[in-house]
Amino acid sequence: MFYRVTIIATGQELLNGTTTDTNSAFMSSSFWGTNFRVINHVTVGDDYEELKTTLLYYLDKSDIVITTGGLGPTSDDNTVEVICEILGEGEKVHEKSHEKMVDRFNRMGRGTYPTDRKMVSVPESSLVLENEHGISPGFIVKSGEKIIASLPGVPSEMKVMFQDRFLPYLKKNFSFSEDLKLSYTVSGVTESEINRRILLMGLPESVSWGVSAKSSHSELTFLSDDVEFKYKSYIDERVRADFASELLHENYKSVEEEVVSLLEDRSLTIGSAESCTGGLIGKRITDIAGSSGVYLGSVIAYANNIKSELLSVDESTILTKGAVSEEVALMMARGVQKRLGCDVALSTTGVAGPGGGSAEKPVGTVYVGIIVGDDTEVHRFQLAGNRFHIRESTVTGIFNIVRKKLLELK
Ligand code: ATP
Ligand code: MG
């Protein structure tokens, strides 16, 4: 059995764009891979009529509607009143929350206002969800076969209530199936190639899949539309076989994270000579906690004389072949390996644009040098996109090559 879930986030600040709705994302990611399918995210301002219309509309389309926000004491907090009107019932004060509130306010040396009772009021028929981290309780009410759950807006309060109170309620009162998804991270494969390979798997209609491209990798997910995920092991075997070395290990979120770990395992150090990437290799490696164990440093050799003076790149080669050339990339990698004494040396030289391109070397032409021990390689990348993308893709591309080489070293 699958249940359709709609999440309604309330608050004028969400519509104004001053607060980002993180609550819906949190709940959706918790439901992802279960038989509770989030079919809508809706945002409504602090408007009574709008909230009422929206709730009624989505209640009709869903089995479960969850609201967040609007449980507080102020006049723009409408959730309880709107739900009471929809259900045709009154409000009640939740005594335990009320006591907690009075106690807290007394300790703060502030009295209680008559309006504070609103903060601890819930619809009469509610099953109360206690708020461990705040005052306003959440609640669950039934509307025929359907349920409405209202949780606080404050993200820290909402998360604890969702995990510790609401999810256990669902698990107890509904048939709850988990592990209906498979997800993988792949790097160094285009989206069209991923698409082609997945189509070749010949998956049945009961499996839906998607690819989400990030700057350095793509996330690949498969979701079963059947509560029994019969094809799970078939898909897993196929993905592992078809993507082999392009599949990042599940423990790592990025290719650089895996590179750092592979270097650690093999007790190897790494350094780089960066021209067009201007330090981005160093930046992305040092973003990884623990990279100090493997990363020695980078020489950012942007100007030609720095390439020659610090990395011993032959001046005449720069003149005859150009700074963006296979030969210069190679000399930069050799130069930095000698200078830093690293086991793995990387270099980049390219045309990141928007100016500087030529017919022979258009914008997006990048040469990268890679030395792993005695093995030396230079690759030419022809990249698309703006300056930002070209630089990021260069670094991702070079890490992808290094990763494969390190895996081959065993
Ligand atoms: P309170 O008792 O504090 O009034 P509440 O349940 O009424 O709580 P809101 O007033 O709607 O909640 O929001 C409280 C805080 O939580 C605000 O700072 C608000 O910006 C933030 N917030 C509300 N909804 C969301 C959301 N969907 N995502 C992220 N932050 C949110
Ligand atoms: Mg409020």
Side-chain angles (χ1 to χ4, degrees):
M1 174 99 180
F2 280 87
Y3 302 98
R4 291 160 302 165
V5 180
T6 290
I7 300 170
I8 303 180
T10 69
Q12 201 59 39
E13 71 282 11
L14 304 175
L15 285 186
N16 296 346
T18 47
T19 301
T20 303
D21 171 20
T22 52
N23 287 352
S24 305
F26 171 83
M27 289 191 250
S28 273
S29 60
S30 308
F31 281 130
W32 193 40
T34 74
N35 56 330
F36 287 75
R37 291 283 155 89
V38 177
I39 53 167
N40 299 289
H41 277 186
V42 190
T43 304
V44 191
D46 296 318
D47 183 292
Y48 187 99
E49 282 306 321
E50 202 61 52
L51 179 58
K52 184 177 139 194
T53 319
T54 308
L55 247 169
L56 285 170
Y57 180 79
Y58 286 101
L59 198 54
D60 189 45
K61 294 173 171 299
S62 326
D63 302 302
I64 297 171
V65 174
I66 307 172
T67 69
T68 80
L71 297 182
T74 57
S75 30
D76 59 5
D77 291 315
N78 297 311
T79 308
V80 175
E81 287 93 328
V82 168
I83 293 175
C84 283
E85 192 191 327
I86 288 177
L87 300 178
E89 64 183 60
E91 295 176 19
K92 67 178 180 191
V93 167
H94 181 239
E95 282 309 327
K96 198 169 164 196
S97 303
H98 184 249
E99 278 165 30
K100 193 165 115 182
M101 177 182 78
V102 173
D103 182 53
R104 184 183 284 197
F105 287 175
N106 282 344
R107 276 189 283 122
M108 285 162 70
R110 117 173 186 17
T112 38
Y113 297 94
T115 47
D116 288 338
R117 287 176 74 79
K118 175 170 148 84
M119 210 174 357
V120 289
S121 294
V122 295
E124 266 167 359
S125 64
S126 296
L127 173 73
V128 170
L129 302 170
E130 284 184 37
N131 191 340
E132 299 286 344
H133 288 258
I135 295 173
S136 299
F139 57 87
I140 297 168
V141 288
K142 286 203 167 128
S143 171
E145 291 294 296
K146 304 178 175 209
I147 67 163
I148 306 175
S150 289
L151 307 183
V154 181
S156 56
E157 296 178 22
M158 182 281 303
K159 280 184 190 172
V160 173
M161 192 181 289
F162 183 88
Q163 271 166 340
D164 296 354
R165 309 270 171 190
F166 187 51
L167 273 188
Y169 166 86
L170 293 180
K171 288 183 180 172
K172 194 167 161 218
N173 294 281
F174 293 80
S175 63
F176 196 95
S177 311
E178 293 174 274
D179 302 324
L180 300 179
K181 77 166 194 297
L182 280 171
S183 54
Y184 302 92
T185 307
V186 294
S187 196
V189 211
T190 62
E191 276 183 274
S192 344
E193 178 57 18
I194 296 175
N195 192 59
R196 193 187 68 81
R197 291 186 203 173
I198 295 176
L199 289 179
L200 284 176
M201 289 182 190
L203 297 175
E205 272 187 18
S206 66
V207 175
S208 37
W209 58 272
V211 183
S212 153
K214 311 275 176 208
S215 67
S216 71
H217 58 267
S218 293
E219 272 153 24
L220 182 55
T221 53
F222 299 87
L223 204 57
S224 169
D225 293 331
D226 187 335
V227 280
E228 246 187 273
F229 197 172
K230 294 190 207 90
Y231 291 84
K232 200 169 189 174
S233 48
Y234 168 74
I235 296 172
D236 193 57
E237 275 165 30
R238 281 297 297 259
V239 170
R240 286 180 197 286
D242 296 354
F243 290 88
S245 64
E246 286 137 347
L247 191 66
L248 294 193
H249 194 284
E250 43 267 17
N251 291 355
Y252 309 111
K253 286 187 204 71
S254 65
V255 62
E256 49 267 40
E257 205 175 319
E258 187 166 355
V259 164
V260 167
S261 168
L262 290 170
L263 289 164
E264 267 169 8
D265 289 349
R266 289 156 180 74
S267 304
L268 296 173
T269 57
I270 189 166
S272 54
E274 303 196 47
S275 185
C276 66
T277 49
L280 194 58
I281 293 182
K283 191 255 172 211
R284 281 184 38 186
I285 293 193
T286 53
D287 277 345
I288 312 294
S291 53
S292 59
V294 299
Y295 177 63
L296 299 190
S298 290
V299 174
I300 301 172
Y302 216 59
N304 287 346
N305 67 309
I306 300 296
K307 291 184 180 76
S308 308
E309 285 166 29
L310 295 185
L311 299 170
S312 315
V313 175
D314 194 21
E315 274 175 66
S316 61
T317 309
I318 298 181
L319 285 175
T320 53
K321 304 288 181 185
V324 177
S325 62
E326 187 179 331
E327 292 78 0
V328 169
L330 184 62
M331 287 179 181
M332 286 173 69
R334 287 199 172 128
V336 81
Q337 188 176 41
K338 201 159 167 215
R339 192 99 198 171
L340 303 184
C342 44
D343 303 306
V344 176
L346 311 178
S347 68
T348 62
T349 177
V351 191
S358 65
E360 195 198 339
K361 292 169 191 171
V363 169
T365 306
V366 182
Y367 290 92
V368 299
I370 297 145
I371 306 179
V372 179
D374 302 330
D375 180 15
T376 304
E377 280 180 14
V378 177
H379 292 247
R380 178 181 162 137
F381 295 159
Q382 199 60 60
L383 302 165
N386 60 23
R387 193 173 168 83
F388 171 83
H389 284 117
I390 290 170
R391 285 149 51 97
E392 289 286 346
S393 307
T394 299
V395 177
T396 303
I398 202 166
F399 283 147
N400 275 328
I401 300 171
V402 175
R403 175 180 163 274
K404 282 192 190 165
K405 292 204 154 295
L406 291 172
L407 284 170
E408 281 160 18
L409 274 183
K410 289 280 181 232

